[in-house]
Amino acid sequence: MSKIITPIDYKCLLDMRQTEHGIKLIKEFFQQNLSTELRLRRVTAPLFVLKGLGINDDLNGVERPVSFPIKDLGDAKAEVVHSLAKWKRLTLAEYNIEPGYGVYTDMNAIRADEELDNLHSLYVDQWDWEAVINREDRTLGFLRNIVERIYAAIRRTEYLVCETYPQIKPFLPEKIHFIHSEELLRMYPDKSPKEREDAICQTYGAVFLIGIGGKLANGEKHDGRAPDYDDWSTVAENGQKGLNGDILIWYPTLQRSIELSSMGIRVDKESLLRQLSLEGQEARLQLFFHQQLLNGLLPLSVGGGIGQSRLCMILLHKAHIGEIQASIWPEQMRQQCKELGMPLI
């Protein structure tokens, strides 16, 4: 069974009624701020897509999607989405969105292979967003500006929560720190990727870690990233590879770093071909999504996902994501959390 982090002297600051109100407050306020900051319109998203089109997010390439046959389609297989990373780009083309504008949606997923703990659940909920950009926007400077605007929306939401519930005190720093995964490796060569994230986040409080998916100087990846949505292999203006990254924060309640968002400038034709070759995944080029991109039918874009339950968890100072969302947990974990003052919904 997966392990859980046991916080020292943990105490729920909100009862279950206040918690449910707080979740509603955060979700309504943050998504409006995100929409305004990035000029996004809300769209309806699928819970599942057809298998074999290359639309589902492959994550690290080893997670098994939940699938089922569709009777009225001759038992064709459908897959519950892992995320909407590629579906959103098709939607931008379908809606003919202009550069500088985009879409966002509520993404609900089932990830059956997750190891269940304080942060990971079988059920995943995100605000998935995607915006059309111009060719000249494919820079780290442009990406940094997007990150700063998202972080500003997060801090405004934190302020609202603290005003609503005075027992909750703010902890997020005013600014987010930017660092490349290669630079982080040089700073902490003897630490694992997760230990490096903890160290840098404890120092700065909030970090955008650039360049996730490609191999670093030590021959290893900082973390896995599918080769067909984020651009992690293009050499940026600073001479380092990667036009993507993760928003990470130091979370005092659990004394560890937490990823709130994975995002990036998406692959163009050249980086798609390069990354599929690097990963030995050239067979994907025959799939529907990849053909659309190769034939110039999809716009250049930037996009990402922001964890809804995770954001609510950290802003309401909860110790377990099961205090925010209803899911399935091992009975032993549920009992242990109850004894620790972390009642799971």
Side-chain angles (χ1 to χ4, degrees), residues 129-181:
W129 64 274
E130 198 87 9
V132 178
I133 62 175
N134 294 304
R135 172 66 63 176
E136 57 267 26
D137 296 326
R138 302 187 82 255
T139 67
L140 274 179
F142 180 86
L143 182 61
R144 285 176 60 122
N145 179 261
I146 295 288
V147 171
E148 288 169 344
R149 288 154 68 181
I150 293 174
Y151 186 66
I154 292 173
R155 289 194 68 241
R156 281 196 295 272
T157 308
E158 181 189 44
Y159 176 79
L160 176 64
V161 170
C162 295
E163 283 290 291
T164 306
Y165 305 106
Q167 65 269 43
I168 295 179
K169 305 302 180 185
F171 69 94
L172 294 174
E174 181 179 353
K175 294 184 178 180
I176 187 168
H177 179 73
F178 292 83
I179 188 170
H180 195 279
S181 54

Side-chain angles (χ1 to χ4, degrees), residues 170-208:
F171 69 94
L172 294 174
E174 181 179 353
K175 294 184 178 180
I176 187 168
H177 179 73
F178 292 83
I179 188 170
H180 195 279
S181 54
E182 197 73 68
E183 184 180 351
L184 190 63
L185 174 62
R186 289 196 297 269
M187 290 175 64
Y188 306 106
D190 299 325
K191 294 182 182 294
S192 68
K194 183 65 186 70
E195 291 170 339
R196 297 198 290 269
E197 290 181 2
D198 285 345
I200 196 69
C201 286
Q202 191 167 15
T203 300
Y204 291 99
V207 173
F208 185 70

